[in-house]
Amino acid sequence: MIDHVQLWIVILALGGGSYFFRFVFLGLIGNRSLPGWVLRHLRYTAVSVLPALIAPLVLWPPATGGEVDPARLVAAFAAVAVGLWTRNVIATIVTGGAVLYLGFYLAG
């Protein structure tokens, strides 16, 4: 169990860090024009967040004690394939979830 003081220090540090990064982008340079290469890279930020959240759950799932699970790997590959083929976020998420639960069902 984490100490309450330590927990609040972490929460306040994360809140301050989040505010700082948002202020830097929105408060300081929000009304200025940015170079084209910066705008091109910023477009990929939202696309990279979901894989960054999902990758640890696929490679080191806590449900299996950190062991690689074939059902999760197959679901991730299916989701990536559908995402590359359709370029549709909803189809990618639904396919990944369906393949994951089908893998769980087939594995028992």
Side-chain angles (χ1 to χ4, degrees):
M1 194 70 163
I2 190 169
D3 183 32
H4 289 284
V5 174
Q6 188 178 11
L7 174 67
W8 280 106
I9 289 172
V10 169
I11 290 172
L12 291 174
L14 290 174
S18 176
Y19 180 81
F20 171 75
F21 287 118
R22 289 170 193 241
F23 179 75
V24 166
F25 277 104
L26 298 175
L28 295 180
I29 59 173
N31 58 356
R32 297 182 185 166
S33 62
L34 296 174
W37 64 271
V38 172
L39 294 175
R40 187 173 63 233
H41 285 86
L42 287 175
R43 284 190 316 193
Y44 297 112
T45 302
V47 176
S48 66
V49 169
L50 190 59
L53 293 173
I54 299 296
L57 297 175
V58 170
L59 297 176
W60 307 283
T64 61
E67 297 293 324
V68 176
D69 185 18
R72 288 176 171 84
L73 283 177
V74 170
F77 285 125
V80 168
V82 169
L84 290 173
W85 181 45
T86 65
R87 302 200 183 274
N88 185 330
V89 174
I90 300 300
T92 303
I93 292 172
V94 169
T95 300
V99 172
L100 178 65
Y101 284 106
L102 179 65
F104 287 156
Y105 177 75
L106 293 176

XYZ file of all heavy atoms in Angstrom:
821
model
N 0.846 -1.177 0.000
C 0.000 0.000 0.000
C 0.891 1.239 0.000
O 1.890 1.285 0.695
C -0.896 -0.052 1.234
C -2.021 0.895 1.193
S -3.181 0.329 -0.042
C -4.597 1.210 0.394
N 0.491 2.200 -0.779
C 1.276 3.422 -0.893
C 0.880 4.403 0.200
O -0.274 4.451 0.626
C 1.090 4.039 -2.303
C 2.081 5.160 -2.536
C -0.322 4.512 -2.496
C 2.138 5.624 -3.977
N 1.855 5.139 0.653
C 1.620 6.146 1.679
C 0.781 7.285 1.078
O 0.953 7.658 -0.080
C 2.967 6.674 2.165
C 2.813 7.686 3.286
O 1.859 7.550 4.070
O 3.656 8.595 3.359
N -0.149 7.831 1.882
C -1.032 8.884 1.369
C -0.257 10.142 0.960
O -0.585 10.776 -0.033
C -2.099 9.245 2.412
C -3.123 8.185 2.582
N -4.121 7.974 1.671
C -3.297 7.250 3.529
C -4.872 6.967 2.053
N -4.392 6.500 3.212
N 0.765 10.494 1.711
C 1.566 11.679 1.366
C 2.290 11.453 0.041
O 2.296 12.328 -0.836
C 2.565 11.993 2.501
C 3.494 13.121 2.096
C 1.826 12.316 3.784
N 2.859 10.273 -0.125
C 3.553 9.951 -1.370
C 2.574 9.945 -2.550
O 2.884 10.435 -3.627
C 4.236 8.601 -1.233
C 5.139 8.258 -2.391
C 5.839 6.915 -2.179
O 5.500 6.154 -1.281
N 6.822 6.651 -3.009
N 1.371 9.403 -2.326
C 0.357 9.384 -3.373
C -0.010 10.796 -3.814
O -0.067 11.093 -5.010
C -0.897 8.651 -2.884
C -2.089 8.684 -3.835
C -1.785 7.887 -5.083
C -3.322 8.164 -3.141
N -0.218 11.701 -2.860
C -0.595 13.065 -3.218
C 0.547 13.823 -3.877
O 0.326 14.668 -4.746
C -1.118 13.819 -1.993
C -2.535 13.441 -1.728
C -3.006 12.641 -0.741
C -3.671 13.824 -2.506
N -4.353 12.495 -0.864
C -4.798 13.206 -1.924
C -3.837 14.599 -3.636
C -6.067 13.372 -2.446
C -5.112 14.761 -4.160
C -6.210 14.160 -3.558
N 1.773 13.509 -3.472
C 2.920 14.127 -4.143
C 2.973 13.700 -5.604
O 3.178 14.523 -6.503
C 4.234 13.772 -3.405
C 4.285 14.505 -2.058
C 5.452 14.113 -4.248
C 5.435 14.081 -1.163
N 2.737 12.417 -5.867
C 2.739 11.924 -7.252
C 1.589 12.551 -8.039
O 1.774 12.984 -9.189
C 2.657 10.378 -7.271
C 2.391 9.865 -8.669
C 3.925 9.776 -6.708
N 0.404 12.626 -7.439
C -0.744 13.214 -8.133
C -0.484 14.680 -8.463
O -0.736 15.141 -9.588
C -2.024 13.052 -7.299
C -2.443 11.580 -7.280
C -3.155 13.927 -7.839
C -3.577 11.271 -6.343
N 0.038 15.428 -7.519
C 0.313 16.847 -7.750
C 1.436 17.027 -8.778
O 1.372 17.937 -9.619
C 0.669 17.546 -6.445
C -0.491 17.679 -5.457
C -0.004 18.258 -4.132
C -1.604 18.524 -6.042
N 2.453 16.160 -8.741
C 3.531 16.256 -9.723
C 3.019 15.951 -11.128
O 3.378 16.645 -12.092
C 4.669 15.303 -9.357
N 2.173 14.927 -11.257
C 1.614 14.612 -12.566
C 0.703 15.735 -13.063
O 0.711 16.081 -14.244
C 0.842 13.295 -12.515
C 1.701 12.040 -12.351
C 0.808 10.821 -12.157
C 2.586 11.854 -13.550
N -0.086 16.311 -12.176
C -0.947 17.434 -12.567
C -0.136 18.642 -12.981
O -0.442 19.301 -13.983
N 0.924 18.947 -12.232
C 1.780 20.080 -12.591
C 2.501 19.847 -13.902
O 2.608 20.756 -14.734
N 2.980 18.632 -14.114
C 3.653 18.311 -15.376
C 2.706 18.393 -16.552
O 3.049 18.928 -17.608
N 1.487 17.882 -16.380
C 0.494 17.955 -17.457
C 0.147 19.408 -17.773
O 0.056 19.796 -18.944
C -0.757 17.177 -17.049
O -1.748 17.305 -18.020
N -0.044 20.211 -16.735
C -0.350 21.628 -16.947
C 0.804 22.322 -17.657
O 0.586 23.126 -18.570
C -0.643 22.306 -15.611
C -0.953 23.763 -15.761
C -2.223 24.187 -16.130
C 0.027 24.721 -15.548
C -2.515 25.519 -16.294
C -0.245 26.066 -15.703
C -1.517 26.453 -16.075
O -1.793 27.787 -16.228
N 2.042 22.007 -17.254
C 3.211 22.639 -17.872
C 3.273 22.355 -19.367
O 3.457 23.264 -20.179
C 4.496 22.156 -17.184
C 5.746 22.583 -17.882
C 6.187 23.898 -17.795
C 6.473 21.700 -18.651
C 7.332 24.310 -18.440
C 7.622 22.090 -19.302
C 8.061 23.400 -19.197
N 3.132 21.076 -19.732
C 3.232 20.738 -21.158
C 2.087 21.339 -21.964
O 2.270 21.779 -23.093
C 3.290 19.224 -21.354
C 4.617 18.650 -20.950
C 4.701 17.732 -19.932
C 5.774 19.054 -21.579
C 5.921 17.209 -19.553
C 7.003 18.537 -21.214
C 7.072 17.611 -20.188
N 0.887 21.373 -21.407
C -0.225 22.003 -22.124
C -0.003 23.509 -22.244
O -0.308 24.108 -23.270
C -1.543 21.723 -21.414
C -1.963 20.293 -21.543
C -3.126 19.997 -20.647
N -3.324 18.576 -20.562
C -4.425 17.975 -20.939
N -5.418 18.675 -21.409
N -4.544 16.676 -20.828
N 0.516 24.127 -21.181
C 0.748 25.565 -21.221
C 1.818 25.912 -22.241
O 1.711 26.929 -22.940
C 1.151 26.082 -19.841
C 1.417 27.555 -19.832
C 0.359 28.449 -19.875
C 2.709 28.035 -19.791
C 0.596 29.816 -19.880
C 2.954 29.397 -19.800
C 1.893 30.290 -19.850
N 2.854 25.082 -22.336
C 3.917 25.358 -23.304
C 3.353 25.377 -24.720
O 3.656 26.268 -25.512
C 5.055 24.331 -23.172
C 5.990 24.387 -24.374
C 5.832 24.573 -21.898
N 2.500 24.373 -25.043
C 1.973 24.306 -26.400
C 0.849 25.302 -26.638
O 0.797 25.962 -27.666
C 1.483 22.893 -26.720
C 2.591 21.992 -27.155
C 3.102 21.048 -26.290
C 3.140 22.104 -28.415
C 4.129 20.227 -26.677
C 4.168 21.295 -28.817
C 4.671 20.351 -27.940
N -0.068 25.417 -25.690
C -1.235 26.268 -25.923
C -1.011 27.702 -25.470
O -1.444 28.646 -26.125
C -2.454 25.676 -25.210
C -2.863 24.288 -25.686
C -3.993 23.753 -24.832
C -3.239 24.316 -27.138
N -0.343 27.895 -24.347
C -0.189 29.229 -23.797
C 0.917 30.028 -24.442
O 0.777 31.225 -24.697
N 2.030 29.405 -24.716
C 3.167 30.145 -25.240
C 3.196 30.205 -26.760
O 3.518 31.236 -27.341
C 4.479 29.524 -24.730
C 4.713 29.610 -23.227
C 6.029 28.961 -22.858
C 4.680 31.046 -22.745
N 2.877 29.089 -27.428
C 2.974 29.084 -28.891
C 1.635 28.786 -29.548
O 1.588 28.484 -30.735
C 4.029 28.063 -29.367
C 3.687 26.657 -28.907
C 5.401 28.472 -28.926
C 4.605 25.606 -29.486
N 0.551 28.890 -28.805
C -0.759 28.522 -29.336
C -1.253 29.414 -30.449
O -1.936 28.957 -31.361
N -0.924 30.707 -30.434
C -1.432 31.616 -31.464
C -0.379 31.975 -32.509
O -0.589 32.878 -33.311
C -1.988 32.882 -30.820
C -0.948 33.599 -29.998
O 0.162 33.116 -29.852
N -1.314 34.744 -29.454
N 0.726 31.283 -32.512
C 1.774 31.528 -33.504
C 1.731 30.439 -34.573
O 1.297 29.329 -34.324
C 3.151 31.525 -32.837
C 3.297 32.631 -31.833
C 4.663 32.628 -31.244
N 4.715 33.643 -30.196
C 5.667 33.724 -29.313
N 6.649 32.858 -29.315
N 5.669 34.665 -28.398
N 2.200 30.783 -35.737
C 2.244 29.774 -36.795
C 3.470 28.887 -36.586
O 4.542 29.365 -36.216
C 2.288 30.437 -38.158
O 3.464 31.209 -38.278
N 3.283 27.607 -36.807
C 4.359 26.643 -36.633
C 4.856 26.187 -37.998
O 4.102 26.194 -38.966
C 3.853 25.438 -35.833
C 3.420 25.731 -34.405
C 2.819 24.491 -33.776
C 4.599 26.205 -33.577
N 6.107 25.764 -38.052
C 6.624 25.245 -39.330
C 5.859 23.987 -39.753
O 5.301 23.264 -38.930
C 8.082 24.905 -39.024
C 8.389 25.490 -37.712
C 7.122 25.804 -37.021
N 5.882 23.721 -41.034
C 5.143 22.589 -41.577
C 5.585 21.251 -41.015
O 4.763 20.371 -40.771
N 6.892 21.092 -40.787
C 7.370 19.805 -40.278
C 6.889 19.563 -38.861
O 6.640 18.423 -38.486
C 8.887 19.709 -40.372
C 9.634 20.699 -39.510
C 10.002 21.951 -39.858
C 10.060 20.501 -38.169
N 10.646 22.561 -38.811
C 10.697 21.684 -37.758
C 9.981 19.446 -37.271
C 11.233 21.830 -36.485
C 10.513 19.588 -36.008
C 11.137 20.778 -35.635
N 6.718 20.616 -38.051
C 6.194 20.442 -36.694
C 4.726 20.032 -36.756
O 4.295 19.120 -36.029
C 6.368 21.741 -35.877
C 5.664 21.635 -34.534
C 7.839 22.055 -35.665
N 3.951 20.688 -37.602
C 2.535 20.340 -37.724
C 2.362 18.914 -38.228
O 1.463 18.204 -37.776
C 1.840 21.329 -38.658
C 1.767 22.765 -38.142
C 1.172 23.673 -39.213
C 0.974 22.830 -36.863
N 3.224 18.500 -39.159
C 3.136 17.137 -39.686
C 3.412 16.121 -38.579
O 2.734 15.108 -38.465
C 4.113 16.952 -40.834
C 3.951 15.618 -41.546
C 4.814 15.501 -42.782
N 6.229 15.571 -42.436
C 7.086 16.411 -42.996
N 6.686 17.238 -43.927
N 8.340 16.434 -42.636
N 4.389 16.401 -37.709
C 4.696 15.481 -36.616
C 3.616 15.515 -35.542
O 3.328 14.487 -34.915
C 6.055 15.810 -36.009
C 7.195 15.389 -36.865
N 7.695 16.173 -37.867
C 7.902 14.243 -36.899
C 8.684 15.540 -38.462
N 8.825 14.361 -37.897
N 3.017 16.656 -35.299
C 1.962 16.739 -34.284
C 0.717 15.966 -34.697
O -0.039 15.518 -33.833
C 1.608 18.203 -34.006
C 2.637 18.978 -33.207
C 2.226 20.438 -33.095
C 2.821 18.374 -31.828
N 0.485 15.792 -35.999
C -0.679 15.017 -36.447
C -0.586 13.571 -35.997
O -1.596 12.915 -35.804
C -0.794 15.046 -37.967
C -1.316 16.331 -38.504
C -1.637 16.219 -39.943
N -0.554 15.504 -40.661
C -0.430 15.467 -41.955
N -1.305 16.062 -42.700
N 0.555 14.830 -42.524
N 0.610 13.038 -35.823
C 0.785 11.643 -35.444
C 0.749 11.432 -33.937
O 0.834 10.290 -33.483
C 2.094 11.105 -36.010
C 2.107 11.113 -37.514
C 2.947 11.962 -38.208
C 1.259 10.296 -38.236
C 2.958 11.982 -39.590
C 1.257 10.305 -39.618
C 2.108 11.161 -40.287
O 2.107 11.187 -41.653
N 0.646 12.473 -33.152
C 0.637 12.326 -31.706
C -0.574 11.518 -31.243
O -0.436 10.576 -30.459
C 0.635 13.708 -31.037
O 1.779 14.428 -31.462
C 0.648 13.576 -29.533
N -1.744 11.876 -31.737
C -2.950 11.159 -31.316
C -2.920 9.711 -31.777
O -3.388 8.817 -31.065
C -4.176 11.870 -31.875
N -2.353 9.460 -32.942
C -2.294 8.088 -33.457
C -1.346 7.235 -32.619
O -1.544 6.035 -32.470
C -1.847 8.102 -34.931
C -1.671 6.713 -35.475
C -2.846 8.882 -35.765
N -0.337 7.832 -32.038
C 0.645 7.061 -31.286
C 0.229 6.792 -29.847
O 0.825 5.940 -29.191
C 1.983 7.787 -31.298
O 1.886 9.001 -30.599
N -0.787 7.488 -29.347
C -1.163 7.323 -27.941
C -1.789 5.948 -27.699
O -1.420 5.259 -26.741
C -2.117 8.455 -27.506
C -2.731 8.156 -26.156
C -1.366 9.769 -27.464
N -2.717 5.527 -28.534
C -3.399 4.256 -28.313
C -2.437 3.063 -28.372
O -2.456 2.230 -27.460
C -4.552 4.088 -29.303
C -5.488 2.929 -29.027
C -6.119 3.053 -27.652
C -6.580 2.886 -30.084
N -1.557 2.958 -29.373
C -0.593 1.848 -29.330
C 0.334 1.908 -28.124
O 0.711 0.869 -27.584
C 0.194 2.009 -30.632
C -0.713 2.740 -31.529
C -1.508 3.660 -30.653
N 0.682 3.107 -27.677
C 1.542 3.214 -26.498
C 0.832 2.717 -25.248
O 1.463 2.166 -24.346
C 1.986 4.664 -26.305
N -0.476 2.877 -25.192
C -1.231 2.371 -24.050
C -1.447 0.865 -24.143
O -1.487 0.178 -23.133
C -2.588 3.080 -23.964
C -2.555 4.561 -23.618
C -3.940 5.163 -23.741
C -2.020 4.755 -22.211
N -1.599 0.345 -25.364
C -1.942 -1.055 -25.555
C -0.708 -1.967 -25.541
O -0.787 -3.107 -25.072
C -2.715 -1.236 -26.883
C -4.004 -0.440 -26.857
C -2.985 -2.693 -27.184
C -4.992 -0.885 -25.833
N 0.413 -1.513 -26.043
C 1.598 -2.372 -26.206
C 2.032 -3.076 -24.926
O 2.274 -4.293 -24.955
C 2.752 -1.568 -26.802
N 2.109 -2.406 -23.780
C 2.495 -3.153 -22.566
C 1.476 -4.218 -22.175
O 1.840 -5.258 -21.643
C 2.581 -2.070 -21.487
C 2.755 -0.811 -22.214
C 2.043 -0.969 -23.515
N 0.195 -3.963 -22.467
C -0.830 -4.953 -22.123
C -0.785 -6.158 -23.058
O -1.276 -7.229 -22.713
C -2.219 -4.307 -22.174
C -2.438 -3.173 -21.177
C -3.778 -2.532 -21.405
C -2.312 -3.686 -19.762
N -0.209 -5.990 -24.235
C -0.075 -7.110 -25.173
C 1.202 -7.890 -24.876
O 1.200 -9.117 -24.850
C -0.070 -6.605 -26.627
C 0.299 -7.715 -27.591
C -1.418 -6.019 -26.976
N 2.294 -7.194 -24.628
C 3.582 -7.864 -24.471
C 3.811 -8.406 -23.065
O 4.417 -9.464 -22.894
C 4.705 -6.906 -24.856
C 4.675 -6.456 -26.316
C 5.760 -5.430 -26.577
C 4.832 -7.643 -27.237
N 3.381 -7.683 -22.055
C 3.578 -8.106 -20.667
C 2.276 -7.963 -19.894
O 2.165 -7.121 -18.988
C 4.653 -7.256 -19.984
C 5.929 -7.222 -20.745
C 6.859 -8.204 -20.805
C 6.396 -6.155 -21.580
N 7.874 -7.808 -21.628
C 7.627 -6.569 -22.111
C 5.895 -4.908 -21.920
C 8.361 -5.762 -22.971
C 6.621 -4.114 -22.779
C 7.839 -4.540 -23.283
N 1.265 -8.785 -20.228
C -0.040 -8.599 -19.586
C 0.011 -8.980 -18.095
O 0.542 -10.041 -17.746
C -0.953 -9.543 -20.365
C -0.060 -10.535 -20.976
C 1.247 -9.864 -21.201
N -0.513 -8.127 -17.240
C -0.520 -8.455 -15.817
C -1.391 -9.662 -15.499
O -1.167 -10.352 -14.507
C -1.085 -7.196 -15.144
C -1.227 -6.170 -16.190
C -1.039 -6.808 -17.511
N -2.393 -9.946 -16.339
C -3.289 -11.075 -16.076
C -2.563 -12.406 -16.141
O -2.973 -13.379 -15.515
C -4.449 -11.053 -17.072
N -1.463 -12.474 -16.906
C -0.701 -13.724 -17.011
C 0.602 -13.650 -16.237
O 1.482 -14.488 -16.427
C -0.399 -14.041 -18.489
O 0.386 -12.982 -19.024
C -1.671 -14.211 -19.281
N 0.755 -12.649 -15.405
C 1.988 -12.502 -14.636
C 3.146 -12.004 -15.474
O 4.303 -12.239 -15.135
N 2.867 -11.334 -16.569
C 3.918 -10.802 -17.426
C 4.346 -11.746 -18.528
O 5.234 -11.416 -19.307
N 3.749 -12.923 -18.598
C 4.077 -13.876 -19.658
C 3.337 -13.516 -20.946
O 2.213 -13.030 -20.904
C 3.684 -15.299 -19.226
C 4.439 -15.785 -18.022
C 5.925 -15.997 -18.300
O 6.255 -16.431 -19.416
O 6.728 -15.713 -17.399
N 3.970 -13.788 -22.071
C 3.343 -13.497 -23.367
C 2.167 -14.439 -23.576
O 2.258 -15.639 -23.325
C 4.377 -13.666 -24.496
C 3.717 -13.475 -25.852
C 5.519 -12.684 -24.308
N 1.033 -13.868 -24.012
C -0.194 -14.629 -24.227
C -0.477 -14.668 -25.732
O -0.602 -13.614 -26.359
C -1.338 -13.949 -23.483
C -2.611 -14.749 -23.550
O -2.552 -15.950 -23.855
O -3.676 -14.155 -23.292
N -0.595 -15.872 -26.332
C -0.837 -15.952 -27.776
C -2.140 -15.278 -28.206
O -2.196 -14.696 -29.296
C -0.880 -17.459 -28.050
C -0.173 -18.077 -26.918
C -0.375 -17.194 -25.748
N -3.176 -15.348 -27.381
C -4.459 -14.727 -27.756
C -4.302 -13.219 -27.909
O -4.844 -12.613 -28.844
C -5.518 -15.039 -26.712
N -3.552 -12.612 -27.032
C -3.345 -11.157 -27.100
C -2.476 -10.775 -28.305
O -2.713 -9.764 -28.958
C -2.724 -10.654 -25.805
C -3.694 -10.657 -24.653
C -3.003 -10.230 -23.356
N -3.957 -10.021 -22.284
C -4.432 -10.977 -21.521
N -4.046 -12.228 -21.716
N -5.298 -10.719 -20.559
N -1.467 -11.607 -28.586
C -0.618 -11.318 -29.740
C -1.398 -11.430 -31.050
O -1.271 -10.576 -31.938
C 0.578 -12.266 -29.770
C 1.704 -11.968 -28.786
C 2.780 -13.029 -28.891
C 2.286 -10.598 -29.048
N -2.215 -12.476 -31.174
C -3.009 -12.651 -32.392
C -3.999 -11.503 -32.537
O -4.191 -10.967 -33.638
C -3.724 -14.017 -32.371
C -4.734 -14.118 -33.504
C -2.713 -15.145 -32.465
N -4.620 -11.093 -31.429
C -5.555 -9.965 -31.478
C -4.851 -8.680 -31.888
O -5.390 -7.885 -32.671
C -6.239 -9.795 -30.128
N -3.652 -8.464 -31.390
C -2.900 -7.261 -31.753
C -2.520 -7.271 -33.232
O -2.669 -6.249 -33.920
C -1.642 -7.148 -30.887
N -2.079 -8.423 -33.733
C -1.734 -8.510 -35.152
C -2.967 -8.318 -36.031
O -2.895 -7.657 -37.068
C -1.048 -9.841 -35.468
C 0.367 -9.900 -34.992
C 0.785 -10.912 -34.155
C 1.287 -8.932 -35.368
C 2.088 -10.963 -33.702
C 2.587 -8.970 -34.921
C 2.989 -9.993 -34.081
N -4.094 -8.896 -35.617
C -5.333 -8.721 -36.386
C -5.754 -7.251 -36.394
O -6.182 -6.718 -37.425
C -6.442 -9.594 -35.809
N -5.644 -6.591 -35.245
C -6.014 -5.175 -35.171
C -5.101 -4.316 -36.045
O -5.577 -3.413 -36.745
C -5.974 -4.699 -33.722
N -3.814 -4.603 -36.029
C -2.883 -3.841 -36.862
C -3.190 -4.073 -38.340
O -3.198 -3.124 -39.147
C -1.424 -4.217 -36.524
C -0.472 -3.671 -37.570
C -1.051 -3.700 -35.156
N -3.479 -5.331 -38.701
C -3.779 -5.633 -40.109
C -5.041 -4.919 -40.573
O -5.067 -4.313 -41.647
C -3.924 -7.144 -40.288
N -6.086 -4.949 -39.735
C -7.332 -4.270 -40.109
C -7.124 -2.755 -40.136
O -7.653 -2.061 -41.012
C -8.465 -4.671 -39.147
C -9.680 -3.792 -39.334
C -8.829 -6.125 -39.371
N -6.335 -2.247 -39.209
C -6.059 -0.816 -39.199
C -5.309 -0.351 -40.440
O -5.616 0.698 -41.016
N -4.332 -1.140 -40.855
C -3.587 -0.780 -42.067
C -4.449 -0.931 -43.317
O -4.321 -0.146 -44.257
C -2.333 -1.656 -42.191
C -1.238 -1.386 -41.168
C -0.128 -2.427 -41.296
C -0.682 0.017 -41.336
N -5.323 -1.930 -43.304
C -6.143 -2.201 -44.490
C -7.285 -1.204 -44.625
O -7.527 -0.659 -45.706
C -6.672 -3.632 -44.426
C -7.506 -4.043 -45.576
C -7.253 -3.835 -46.905
C -8.739 -4.725 -45.511
N -8.263 -4.364 -47.663
C -9.183 -4.925 -46.833
C -9.500 -5.223 -44.465
C -10.371 -5.572 -47.116
C -10.673 -5.878 -44.758
C -11.095 -6.041 -46.071
N -7.999 -0.933 -43.529
C -9.196 -0.088 -43.603
C -8.938 1.363 -43.226
O -9.716 2.235 -43.599
C -10.296 -0.636 -42.694
O -9.861 -0.552 -41.336
C -10.653 -2.058 -43.044
N -7.921 1.616 -42.392
C -7.647 2.959 -41.847
C -8.877 3.497 -41.102
O -9.197 4.690 -41.173
C -7.204 3.917 -42.931
C -5.975 3.451 -43.652
C -5.272 4.553 -44.355
N -4.136 4.055 -45.088
C -2.931 3.885 -44.571
N -2.718 4.161 -43.311
N -1.945 3.441 -45.310
N -9.559 2.587 -40.418
C -10.759 2.928 -39.660
C -10.516 2.541 -38.199
O -10.286 1.368 -37.887
C -11.956 2.163 -40.232
C -13.251 2.551 -39.579
O -13.281 2.918 -38.413
N -14.321 2.476 -40.336
N -10.593 3.516 -37.298
C -10.285 3.272 -35.889
C -11.307 2.329 -35.269
O -10.944 1.406 -34.529
C -10.241 4.611 -35.118
C -10.058 4.371 -33.639
C -9.138 5.482 -35.648
N -12.580 2.550 -35.555
C -13.625 1.725 -34.944
C -13.492 0.273 -35.415
O -13.583 -0.661 -34.605
C -15.018 2.287 -35.291
C -15.157 3.730 -34.773
C -16.118 1.409 -34.707
C -14.990 3.880 -33.284
N -13.267 0.064 -36.709
C -13.099 -1.304 -37.220
C -11.878 -1.965 -36.587
O -11.912 -3.161 -36.260
C -12.967 -1.282 -38.741
N -10.826 -1.203 -36.368
C -9.618 -1.746 -35.747
C -9.878 -2.176 -34.316
O -9.503 -3.278 -33.902
C -8.498 -0.692 -35.787
O -8.270 -0.305 -37.132
C -7.237 -1.218 -35.169
N -10.542 -1.316 -33.547
C -10.809 -1.632 -32.146
C -11.763 -2.816 -32.032
O -11.547 -3.736 -31.226
C -11.366 -0.386 -31.428
C -10.271 0.682 -31.328
C -11.891 -0.745 -30.048
C -10.759 2.020 -30.818
N -12.815 -2.819 -32.831
C -13.795 -3.912 -32.774
C -13.144 -5.233 -33.194
O -13.357 -6.274 -32.555
C -15.023 -3.576 -33.650
C -15.912 -4.794 -33.829
C -15.794 -2.426 -33.037
N -12.328 -5.212 -34.233
C -11.651 -6.435 -34.674
C -10.694 -6.944 -33.603
O -10.682 -8.152 -33.303
C -10.880 -6.172 -35.978
O -11.796 -5.746 -36.973
C -10.150 -7.411 -36.435
N -9.919 -6.063 -33.021
C -8.995 -6.477 -31.969
C -9.718 -7.085 -30.790
O -9.317 -8.126 -30.264
N -10.816 -6.457 -30.362
C -11.592 -6.998 -29.242
C -12.244 -8.327 -29.580
O -12.236 -9.263 -28.773
N -12.790 -8.436 -30.792
C -13.452 -9.683 -31.194
C -12.448 -10.828 -31.290
O -12.719 -11.939 -30.805
C -14.162 -9.476 -32.527
N -11.299 -10.569 -31.872
C -10.282 -11.618 -31.991
C -9.740 -11.988 -30.614
O -9.486 -13.170 -30.331
C -9.154 -11.165 -32.941
C -7.992 -12.147 -32.920
C -9.690 -11.025 -34.350
N -9.605 -11.016 -29.736
C -9.124 -11.308 -28.382
C -10.094 -12.230 -27.654
O -9.696 -13.244 -27.070
C -8.932 -10.011 -27.599
C -8.484 -10.183 -26.152
C -7.093 -10.803 -26.095
C -8.516 -8.843 -25.440
N -11.386 -11.892 -27.686
C -12.340 -12.727 -26.961
C -12.545 -14.067 -27.652
O -12.797 -15.071 -26.977
C -13.655 -11.983 -26.765
C -13.494 -10.964 -25.675
C -13.400 -9.612 -25.959
C -13.384 -11.357 -24.351
C -13.211 -8.680 -24.969
C -13.189 -10.442 -23.345
C -13.104 -9.098 -23.659
O -12.893 -8.189 -22.668
N -12.407 -14.131 -28.963
C -12.439 -15.422 -29.657
C -11.240 -16.273 -29.236
O -11.375 -17.479 -29.004
C -12.447 -15.206 -31.175
C -12.468 -16.486 -32.018
C -13.779 -17.245 -31.807
C -12.261 -16.148 -33.478
N -10.084 -15.653 -29.107
C -8.901 -16.376 -28.638
C -9.065 -16.890 -27.225
O -8.681 -18.020 -26.910
N -9.656 -16.065 -26.348
C -9.926 -16.528 -24.978
C -10.910 -17.689 -24.989
O -10.761 -18.650 -24.235
C -10.476 -15.397 -24.124
C -9.457 -14.369 -23.744
C -9.846 -13.085 -23.413
C -8.107 -14.667 -23.704
C -8.925 -12.127 -23.054
C -7.171 -13.726 -23.343
C -7.588 -12.452 -23.014
N -11.932 -17.611 -25.845
C -12.939 -18.669 -25.911
C -12.317 -19.966 -26.418
O -12.576 -21.040 -25.863
C -14.090 -18.224 -26.821
C -15.137 -19.282 -27.016
C -16.051 -19.569 -26.010
C -15.206 -20.005 -28.199
C -17.016 -20.549 -26.179
C -16.163 -20.985 -28.379
C -17.063 -21.249 -27.364
O -18.010 -22.223 -27.544
N -11.487 -19.871 -27.459
C -10.882 -21.078 -28.014
C -9.829 -21.677 -27.076
O -9.632 -22.889 -27.056
C -10.251 -20.764 -29.379
C -11.247 -20.401 -30.493
C -10.493 -20.018 -31.765
C -12.206 -21.548 -30.749
N -9.160 -20.820 -26.302
C -8.144 -21.319 -25.376
C -8.767 -21.942 -24.136
O -8.125 -22.710 -23.418
C -7.212 -20.186 -24.967
N -10.023 -21.611 -23.924
C -10.715 -22.233 -22.782
C -10.765 -21.350 -21.638
O -10.416 -21.086 -20.668
